[in-house]
């Protein structure tokens, strides 16, 4: 599954369950089918307009990588 970054932010003060992951990048991905999905980024930081691909899903959270 591929898409384009619609918006992004870096989370420095996360909910308690994600405290050990901080800081992490949270994005909204505009998917090829026209839908949008809130997800996290693995690896290199992304910018608005970058193309990304689904890397994995964990605990109902989608993780994307920059292509």
């Amino acid at each position: 599954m591929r898409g384009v970054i619609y918006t992004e932010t870096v989370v420095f003060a996360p909910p308690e369950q994600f405290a050990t992951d901080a800081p992490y990048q949270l994005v909204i991905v505009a998917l090829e089918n026209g839908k949008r999905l809130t997800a996290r980024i693995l690896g290199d930081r992304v910018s608005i307009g970058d193309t990304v691909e689904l890397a994995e899903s964990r605990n109902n959270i989608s993780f994307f990588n920059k292509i």
Side-chain angles (χ1 to χ4, degrees):
M1 178 183 331
R2 289 186 176 189
V4 175
I5 299 299
Y6 178 75
T7 189
E8 63 83 25
T9 191
V10 177
V11 178
F12 291 97
E16 186 176 320
Q17 68 216 52
F18 301 114
T20 59
D21 295 345
Y24 58 87
Q25 193 172 24
L26 192 63
V27 298
I28 295 179
V29 179
L31 301 173
E32 293 173 325
N33 64 8
K35 296 182 180 181
R36 292 183 182 158
L37 175 69
T38 301
R40 287 183 46 187
I41 296 297
L42 293 174
D44 294 336
R45 187 165 175 195
V46 297
S47 298
I48 294 170
D50 286 345
T51 302
V52 292
E53 185 170 51
L54 181 65
E56 63 181 277
S57 292
R58 285 185 260 147
N59 300 318
N60 294 321
I61 299 171
S62 298
F63 291 81
F64 282 77
N65 283 329
K66 185 176 179 177
I67 296 179

